Amino acid sequence: MSSPSERRFPRWVYAAGVEPDPRFSMANERTFLAWLRTGLALMAAGVALHALDLPLHGIFRYAASVLLVALGVAASANGWLSWSRAEQALRARRPLPGPGGGLLLAAGVVLAGLLVLVGLVRG
Amino acid sequence: MTAIFDLGLQVERTALAWRRSALSLGATSLGAARLLTSVSAPWAAGVTAAGLMGATVIAALAWRRYTAVPPRLLTVPAEGAVRLPGGAMLMALAVLQAFGGLIFIVLLL
């Protein structure tokens, strides 16, 4: 059981439940890190789209660039939220939560790709 | 013979995942800074510094995080006997990255 003197951050994850199998916690942590690396890749794509000289029509390039960086920020946030929800579920011996925000992010990436495609055709 | 608990070398894999992530952060900061130089030189310098410093600190802290864990996972631990470190470093990394992205959006708009 977690003690009342639980000092790990965040309290809302660690205050309840019992210590899960450490292998599961570490798998959760690696998943979080994978989300962050995904976010970095999305941000890098957005920055590159903005800064490199590409045959893309102006407004589409701008929109795709901003969208990709925003998706990168969202991926970082989603990584943190997913980690904390999964850790809570592990501690409570409950089923792990579903992808949730991840699906929305996937839709966003598809939209960015479509913007680039249209921009290339019009450019 | 003592049963080995962690056949999947989870501890080492997790430490390496932290290192990969720190490297990605550093490399992306450098790349973004190079591309940002055309937009705004002071911001480019700021992004490089913040990203590289963040990456170094995270790599160092992540190493410390896991040097204490391995001995505890070689044998089957009693229920609740292993307490892994908390999520402060995770949140710090997520915030650092998200902040970097938001700065770029602001620069662009």
Side-chain angles (χ1 to χ4, degrees), chain A residues 34-90:
Chain A
W35 268 112
L36 286 223
R37 287 197 302 278
T38 305
L40 268 178
L42 287 166
M43 286 189 225
V47 171
L49 198 59
H50 169 71
L52 296 175
D53 194 17
L54 297 163
L56 234 77
H57 191 265
I59 187 70
F60 292 100
R61 178 172 162 165
Y62 184 74
S65 174
V66 172
L67 178 60
L68 281 169
V69 179
L71 287 170
V73 174
S76 309
N78 185 256
W80 165 254
L81 285 173
S82 296
W83 174 84
S84 44
R85 277 198 225 115
E87 197 68 24
Q88 270 187 311
L90 284 172

Side-chain angles (χ1 to χ4, degrees), chain A residues 6 8-9 14 22-23 25-26 29-30 32-33 36-37 40 43 50 62 66 69 76 80 83 93, chain B residues 5 10 14 18 20-21 24-25 65-66 73 79 83-84 86-87 90-91 93 97 101 104 108-109:
Chain A
E6 177 63 65
R8 284 176 293 181
F9 174 87
Y14 289 104
R23 294 172 297 180
S25 281
M26 283 193 272
E29 198 162 311
R30 289 198 301 277
F32 163 81
L33 291 171
L36 286 223
R37 287 197 302 278
L40 268 178
M43 286 189 225
H50 169 71
Y62 184 74
V66 172
V69 179
S76 309
W80 165 254
W83 174 84
R93 301 287 195 262
Chain B
F5 178 65
Q10 307 285 328
T14 314
W18 274 104
R20 259 203 313 282
S21 304
S24 299
L25 181 65
R65 185 180 177 89
Y66 283 102
L73 287 194
E79 167 109 0
R83 273 171 60 102
L84 292 176
L90 282 76
M91 186 173 208
L93 181 57
Q97 248 186 241
F104 180 75
L108 203 52
L109 293 176

